[in-house]
Amino acid sequence: MAGELDDIRQRLEGIGEELADLAILRLRESIDAGGTEYPVDEKRLTRARRAVEKAVHLLDEPDDAG
């Protein structure tokens, strides 16, 4: 089971990085277009990234059953 959780954790870490990259891209696009406020989807992407990071952290915790 530990190997399966490690695999899922690694995939989640990759997804978190993709979300971070996408949020940065949205910010750059907004700045390049002359925007002065955060893009709405950047905020949602950041919240999703944080949720994924929490899931990664939960999978890193030791089992309480031991």
Side-chain angles (χ1 to χ4, degrees):
M1 175 106 160
E4 294 169 336
L5 291 180
D6 284 340
D7 182 51
I8 293 170
R9 184 184 48 75
Q10 289 174 356
R11 289 186 301 181
L12 286 170
E13 287 174 344
I15 291 169
E17 290 174 10
E18 288 180 48
L19 289 167
D21 291 345
L22 192 54
I24 290 170
L25 178 64
R26 293 293 187 261
L27 286 171
R28 284 186 184 145
E29 290 172 347
S30 176
I31 291 168
D32 290 345
T36 58
E37 297 180 12
Y38 285 106
V40 174
D41 61 342
E42 183 276 336
K43 191 176 221 178
R44 185 174 53 185
L45 290 167
T46 299
R47 289 177 57 206
R49 178 187 52 83
R50 287 182 185 143
V52 169
E53 288 175 351
K54 286 180 184 179
V56 168
H57 178 71
L58 288 172
L59 293 176
D60 278 340
E61 291 180 357
D63 289 337
D64 290 337

